[in-house]
Amino acid sequence: MSVSSFISYLALERKFSPHTVNAYKRDIAEFHAFYLKEHGVEATEDVSYGSIRSWIVFLVEHQLSNRSVNRKIASLKAYFKFLVQVESIKVSPLATHKALKTPKKLEIPFSEKEMDLVLLPFQFDDDFEGLRDKMIIEILYTTGMRRAELMNLKLKDLNLPGKTIKVLGKRNKERIIPLVSRTLENLTTYLTAREQQVKIQGEPFVFIGKNGHKMYETLVYRIINRYFSKVSSKVKKSPHILRHTFATHLLSNGADLNSVKELLGHSSLASTQVYTHNSIAELKKAHRASHPRSRE
């Protein structure tokens, strides 16, 4: 069973994004290149765990982080799991493999004050790009959608009378996100300006570049970094931190975990629980300030 069959399975059946599929393909190709160099033959389906272990040692010795090594091994593990499913092999050589230990990834959300400051009107130029940039920050913060979801958002996904947005998430899973009134008003203003900017009638995407077409991938990162650098000293400034901020602020203000899970488009509560540590800190702070026994 060839690697190309596995790649087709990821793209067509699992409906992974092209970016994710390419990552799997690249990781597996790197292992095959290592195996060929070490053994003088191409890797076959009966690769031993010892050979994979040698690759892990090679990656670590070449200063790859444990997190990066784990990602590459996860790609290989998925490939062998696929081979078991299609009965090309009986047991995966990685069946009992344990991932390398990694430090917990600390992602610090923006504070409510930072969000208020970054969305002040004077932070943005008085032109289409300024209006678009403000709308991008606001919609990421008030919906919690992913960067890729925002980039692929189309006009047909907007239900302005119903005050909702339909988002196409990972593995083509759809979810409906409500719009708060202020975001709805600002989105309406943006769409009016957008119509004057579009170069080709029928451009489907909501957010466009100054050329009137769909934005390029790195533009959203640049927008977030540019504006948050003015109001925040936090090291990491990215669309994902805004998603993290959305979830943390909801939980801190009383939203239940299941509701946040649905809004984020997570398949399990375990994925959502990573956002709770900051809300727990807020609860502890409120508890200390409010409970009579804490004053003793």
Side-chain angles (χ1 to χ4, degrees):
M1 184 63 66
S2 65
V3 176
S4 60
S5 299
F6 173 62
I7 297 303
S8 296
Y9 162 76
L10 294 179
L12 302 177
E13 293 192 39
R14 298 296 302 277
K15 299 190 183 300
F16 284 1
S17 70
H19 176 77
T20 302
V21 171
N22 286 334
Y24 275 86
K25 188 176 181 179
R26 184 172 58 250
D27 292 338
I28 295 169
E30 285 180 16
F31 171 71
H32 280 211
F34 169 83
Y35 191 91
L36 178 61
K37 186 176 180 181
E38 289 292 303
H39 299 278
V41 294
E42 292 187 357
T44 60
E45 293 171 359
D46 58 352
V47 165
S48 69
Y49 179 66
S51 295
I52 299 172
R53 185 74 184 172
S54 297
W55 188 45
I56 294 172
V57 172
F58 170 82
L59 294 173
V60 171
E61 287 178 344
H62 282 73
Q63 308 302 312
L64 230 67
S65 69
N66 285 5
R67 195 179 302 278
S68 296
V69 172
N70 286 342
R71 197 209 72 235
K72 291 181 181 297
I73 298 304
S75 297
L76 212 56
K77 193 171 186 177
Y79 173 56
F80 285 115
K81 184 179 178 181
F82 168 76
L83 293 180
V84 171
Q85 289 174 343
V86 297
E87 299 182 347
S88 288
I89 60 176
K90 289 185 177 181
V91 181
S92 166
L94 284 163
T96 59
H97 172 75
K98 291 184 179 179
L100 302 180
K101 290 184 177 180
T102 58
K104 284 192 175 180
K105 199 174 178 183
L106 183 62
E107 295 184 320
I108 304 173
F110 298 115
S111 66
E112 292 187 32
K113 183 179 180 181
E114 286 171 328
M115 292 309 309
D116 288 339
L117 286 173
V118 81
L119 288 169
L120 288 172
F122 68 79
Q123 303 280 16
F124 303 87
D125 294 336
D126 189 21
D127 56 14
F128 170 75
E129 287 181 83
L131 184 63
R132 179 206 61 201
D133 294 353
K134 184 175 187 292
M135 193 67 250
I136 284 174
I137 293 172
E138 184 172 351
I139 208 161
L140 285 172
Y141 175 52
T142 60
T143 67
M145 69 174 69
R146 300 175 178 92
R147 177 192 60 86
E149 293 169 346
L150 176 125
M151 286 191 61
N152 292 315
L153 195 65
K154 296 180 180 178
L155 294 174
K156 66 181 179 61
D157 299 323
L158 305 178
N159 181 359
L160 301 187
K163 300 182 181 180
T164 61
I165 293 180
K166 182 174 69 176
V167 174
L168 188 63
K170 289 184 176 180
R171 302 177 194 177
N172 290 336
K173 183 181 177 184
E174 289 185 355
R175 68 185 188 280
I176 303 296
I177 305 177
L179 289 171
V180 298
S181 296
R182 184 182 298 178
T183 300
L184 181 64
E185 292 171 12
N186 292 339
L187 183 58
T188 302
T189 302
Y190 164 76
L191 291 173
T192 300
R194 176 195 171 281
E195 284 305 306
Q196 299 169 3
Q197 193 75 16
V198 170
K199 295 292 188 292
I200 298 176
Q201 206 63 26
E203 174 64 51
F205 297 100
V206 173
F207 292 103
I208 56 175
K210 61 183 179 181
N211 62 359
H213 300 297
K214 183 183 180 183
M215 296 184 299
Y216 55 90
E217 287 194 5
T218 57
L219 181 56
V220 182
Y221 284 105
R222 290 182 182 179
I223 289 170
I224 301 305
N225 267 287
R226 175 187 173 190
Y227 292 99
F228 278 94
S229 292
K230 299 177 184 179
V231 302
S232 176
S233 60
K234 290 181 173 66
V235 174
K236 191 169 182 182
K237 307 174 186 74
S238 69
H240 183 72
I241 295 298
L242 267 178
R243 179 170 162 87
H244 186 57
T245 301
F246 164 81
T248 302
H249 289 185
L250 281 179
L251 290 166
S252 296
N253 285 282
D256 69 273
L257 202 59
N258 264 311
S259 297
V260 176
K261 167 184 169 290
E262 294 302 318
L263 289 168
L264 291 172
H266 286 159
S267 56
S268 70
L269 272 178
S271 300
T272 314
Q273 285 170 334
V274 299
Y275 297 103
T276 62
H277 71 276
N278 286 287
S279 57
I280 290 171
E282 289 296 317
L283 287 172
K284 286 180 178 178
K285 183 179 176 182
H287 182 270
R288 284 195 301 269
S290 306
H291 198 282
R293 301 292 290 182
S294 67
R295 301 180 194 133
E296 294 181 359

